[in-house]
Structure formats: C-alpha cells, structure tokens
C-alpha cells in the first residue's frame, strides 16, 4: 500500500541552523512571583496555589532551569505544516506532536472550546471601574506585569476578594499572556476576574496555548527571536516526548508529581543536545484518545492540512 503524502522537514537533516542567541521570553519573572506571594495573606496564597490555575505557581516554585538551546534544537526539527495550532517534530525516523491535547495533558489546565475565546462578553460595572482604579489601570486596558507589581505594594488594606483578583491577574499577566512586563494585556479577558469563580473556571489552558502558538508561528529560526506565552512547557514536552532524554537531562522530580509539567526541574542547554535528540529511540508521539476524531482539537479559522493529518492516520 502506498503511503499518503506526509509533511517535509523545515530544514534538511544535518543542515539545521545553529542558535545565534538565547530565545527571549517573559514567563520567568521572579520579581512578580515574589511580590505577589508577599502581598497575599498566607491563606490567600494557598487558596490561589490550590486553584485550577495554581499549577503555574507550583511550576514557579520548582525554580525550573530554562534550556534555550534545547527548545531551539527541537524547533529546528519541525515539519513544515500549515496548521497554526499544531507542531510536529521529526526525531530520528519518528514524529512527535505538540498540540492542545499534549498541552492539556502536561498542565491539566482547562482547554475546553468556547466561542469568542479571547473576547468574552463581560459587562463593565461600577465595581469593575472601582477595581481598575485600585489597580491604577485605564478601564479600556488590561494590566501590565509592571502595574500588577506596583499594585501589590499598596494592597494591604484591600478586601480579600480584591487581593485574590490581584493574585489571579498576576497569573494572567505573568504566565498566560506572558508578554513583556510593560505590555498591556487584553481587557476583555482581564475583566473576567470580577467574578472569581468564572475566572478560575475559564478555559485558560486554551488561551495560554493559543498565545504561545500565535507567537511561535512563522518565526525565523535563523535569527534571534522573542516568544510570548508559557514557552517553558515546550521544554517539558521534550522531556515527556523523549523519556530517555528527559530521564538523563531533565532532572526528574522524585515520585513523579502530577501533572507532568511539575515532574522535571529542567537543566541548562548543551550544544550536544542536538545530536542527542537525533539518537533518541523512544518517542511518545501523542496522548492517545478513545476515538481518532478526538485527535484534532477544534479551532476557529484554522486551515486544513491533509499531510499533517496523515501522520496521525498512519500511526
């Protein structure tokens, strides 16, 4: 039987570009983390840590070691596909996929589909206006990381709910949006924090994944570049998808904590990682679902790519 058309490599094997500089990113702001932890009362911080978004705080507590070279090398093994929200890398003869399915498995965040994901309907009430004034943020903007840090220094007399809102917005600006500390975030999403239960249960996993993949799309890997969003998850995905590599270089955490995002301490990138990745013999291709039709998460306006779909069908 003839094999269907499959995607080609982005770079010819052995001709992948070498890293020029480290990948720039913004989701490792120790000042933000330290400030929000000091601003919240102990019970408030623990409630935030135990919430559905607390995995970000637990990840930060690991002091995870970023490996720019490792992420760079893995991205250079990409296959040339048309889908914006799916990443395939060819490791030796075996493909490995990073999609919303893998992201959800690694983080345990809510990745459900909702309409108008990035522009939810949220009424601007007098309470919203008052809280935005507390933050020191214009009502038509979302807070910057810089503004969240500044607000932490004057929140001691705020209500408990307002301090919890501040804590959730710290996660939103620092991890989910993950942009430069002086860059405004999206007001439409930030305003959801006025209803703490609604905010906690929003599909932030899908939002975070989309921010990351939008930023990665069509990056010129031959130059230095900046990535918005929670890019460290790609490093964890490499450890998870290449278990032998992860066991040797990912510094696994004892007792395999859950979710897998918390199972590695990370490690600095090394120049020999490129060859080491090529030699991997075990690849976890994707998280299996009950039905093959579940292997393609729904995205508005994403393009079809039969060649990429054929990889799943062949496997």
């Amino acid at each position: 039987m003839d094999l269907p058309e499959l995607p080609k490599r982005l770079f010819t094997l052995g001709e992948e570009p070498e890293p020029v500089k480290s990948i720039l990113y913004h989701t490792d702001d120790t000042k933000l983390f330290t400030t929000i932890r000091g601003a919240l009362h102990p019970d408030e911080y623990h409630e935030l840590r135990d919430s559905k978004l607390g995995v970000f705080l637990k990840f930060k507590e690991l002091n995870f070691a970023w490996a720019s070279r490792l992420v760079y090398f893995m991205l250079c093994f990409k296959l040339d596909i048309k889908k914006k929200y799916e990443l395939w890398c060819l490791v030796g003869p075996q493909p490995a996929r990073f999609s919303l399915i893998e992201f959800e498995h690694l983080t345990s965040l809510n990745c459900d589909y909702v309409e108008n994901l990035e522009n939810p309907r949220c009424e601007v009430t007098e309470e919203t206006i008052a809280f935005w004034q507390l933050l020191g943020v214009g009502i038509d903007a979302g807070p910057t990381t810089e503004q969240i840090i500044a607000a932490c220094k004057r929140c001691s007399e705020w209500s408990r709910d307002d301090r919890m809102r501040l804590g959730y917005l710290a996660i939103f600006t620092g991890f989910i949006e993950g942009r430069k500390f002086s860059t405004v975030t999206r007001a439409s999403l930030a305003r959801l924090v006025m209803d703490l239960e609604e905010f906690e249960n929003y599909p932030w996993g899908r939002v975070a994944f989309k921010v990351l993949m939008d930023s990665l799309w069509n990056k010129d890997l031959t130059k230095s570049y900046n990535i918005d969003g929670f890019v460290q998850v790609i490093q964890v995905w490499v450890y998870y998808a290449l278990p032998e590599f992860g066991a040797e270089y990912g510094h696994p955490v004892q007792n395999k904590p859950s979710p897998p995002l918390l199972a590695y301490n990370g490690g600095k990138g090394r120049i020999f990682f490129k060859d080491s990745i090529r030699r991997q013999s075990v690849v976890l291709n994707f998280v299996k679902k009950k039905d093959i039709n579940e292997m393609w998460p729904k995205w508005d306006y994403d393009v079809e790519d039969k060649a990429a779909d054929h990889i799943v069908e062949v496997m």
Side-chain angles (χ1 to χ4, degrees):
M1 183 179 69
D2 293 335
L3 285 176
E5 177 191 3
L6 296 172
K8 301 184 185 315
R9 291 178 181 271
L10 195 62
F11 298 103
T12 301
L13 184 63
E15 298 181 10
E16 302 87 357
E18 295 298 325
V20 179
K21 293 182 179 179
S22 294
I23 298 170
L24 301 177
Y25 69 110
H26 310 289
T27 47
D28 190 26
D29 194 323
T30 299
K31 185 177 181 181
L32 172 65
F33 176 77
T34 303
T35 305
I36 196 65
R37 187 165 190 170
L40 298 181
H41 295 177
D43 64 303
E44 295 165 351
Y45 178 80
H46 287 299
E47 180 178 329
L48 190 65
R49 188 179 185 274
D50 291 339
S51 73
K52 294 177 181 178
L53 296 180
V55 67
F56 290 113
L57 299 181
K58 294 173 184 176
F59 179 80
K60 182 59 183 170
E61 290 170 3
L62 287 173
N63 292 316
F64 185 83
W66 168 244
S68 178
R69 282 180 182 270
L70 173 57
V71 174
Y72 182 90
F73 289 145
M74 195 66 172
L75 292 178
C76 286
F77 291 131
K78 282 172 56 177
L79 297 178
D80 188 9
I81 68 171
K82 300 174 184 176
K83 291 188 175 185
K84 192 174 187 179
Y85 302 113
E86 196 168 301
L87 170 69
W88 283 96
C89 296
L90 195 60
V91 180
Q94 301 184 67
R97 184 174 82 156
F98 180 71
S99 73
L100 186 66
I101 293 174
E102 287 74 28
F103 184 89
E104 181 180 26
H105 178 73
L106 290 171
T107 65
S108 291
L109 290 166
N110 181 356
C111 294
D112 291 347
Y113 172 83
V114 294
E115 294 182 353
N116 301 315
L117 174 71
E118 296 175 297
N119 191 28
R121 185 174 181 179
C122 190
E123 183 182 358
V124 178
T125 65
E126 292 298 321
E127 186 182 16
T128 308
I129 295 171
F131 181 65
W132 249 240
Q133 289 174 341
L134 278 179
L135 290 174
V137 179
I139 192 61
D140 293 325
T144 67
T145 294
E146 194 173 36
Q147 289 170 326
I148 293 294
I149 291 173
C152 286
K153 299 175 182 177
R154 57 176 188 271
C155 72
S156 60
E157 301 300 319
W158 293 9
S159 70
R160 188 182 195 279
D161 280 355
D162 282 344
R163 278 195 301 275
M164 291 301 296
R165 291 185 178 107
L166 184 62
Y168 276 120
L169 286 176
I171 293 174
F172 170 68
T173 62
F175 293 101
I176 296 171
E177 291 271 270
R179 306 180 196 277
K180 189 177 180 180
F181 73 102
S182 58
T183 302
V184 297
T185 53
R186 290 169 288 183
S188 57
L189 289 168
R191 289 172 186 155
L192 292 172
V193 82
M194 298 312 299
D195 184 324
L196 290 171
E197 183 177 358
E198 180 182 5
F199 190 91
E200 182 184 0
N201 288 288
Y202 200 70
W204 291 115
R206 183 176 278 261
V207 175
F209 177 81
K210 187 174 185 298
V211 170
L212 174 61
M213 299 302 279
D214 282 343
S215 183
L216 279 174
W217 182 244
N218 281 342
K219 288 291 185 189
D220 185 349
L221 300 181
T222 65
K223 301 178 180 178
S224 61
Y225 52 93
N226 175 84
I227 295 179
D228 293 332
F230 189 47
V231 68
Q232 294 99 316
V233 73
I234 296 181
Q235 184 176 337
V236 177
W237 165 67
V238 176
Y239 296 147
Y240 180 82
L242 310 178
E244 294 175 350
F245 183 92
E248 187 169 359
Y249 301 113
H251 298 95
V253 177
Q254 290 184 350
N255 301 322
K256 295 184 178 179
S258 182
L261 181 69
L262 306 178
Y264 301 92
N265 285 305
K268 297 299 183 182
R270 298 290 183 264
I271 195 167
F272 61 81
F273 278 0
K274 185 176 181 179
D275 290 331
S276 182
I277 292 172
R278 285 181 184 151
R279 293 195 301 268
Q280 296 304 302
S281 59
V282 178
V283 177
L284 300 182
N285 296 298
F286 47 77
V287 180
K288 295 184 182 296
K289 291 284 186 176
K290 293 180 180 179
D291 190 299
I292 192 171
N293 293 322
E294 297 179 45
M295 292 304 303
W296 294 283
K298 180 179 179 180
W299 290 102
D300 294 330
Y301 312 116
D302 202 8
V303 300
E304 287 192 8
D305 189 342
K306 292 297 184 183
D309 292 346
H310 288 159
I311 303 175
V312 175
E313 294 165 356
V314 169
M315 293 168 60

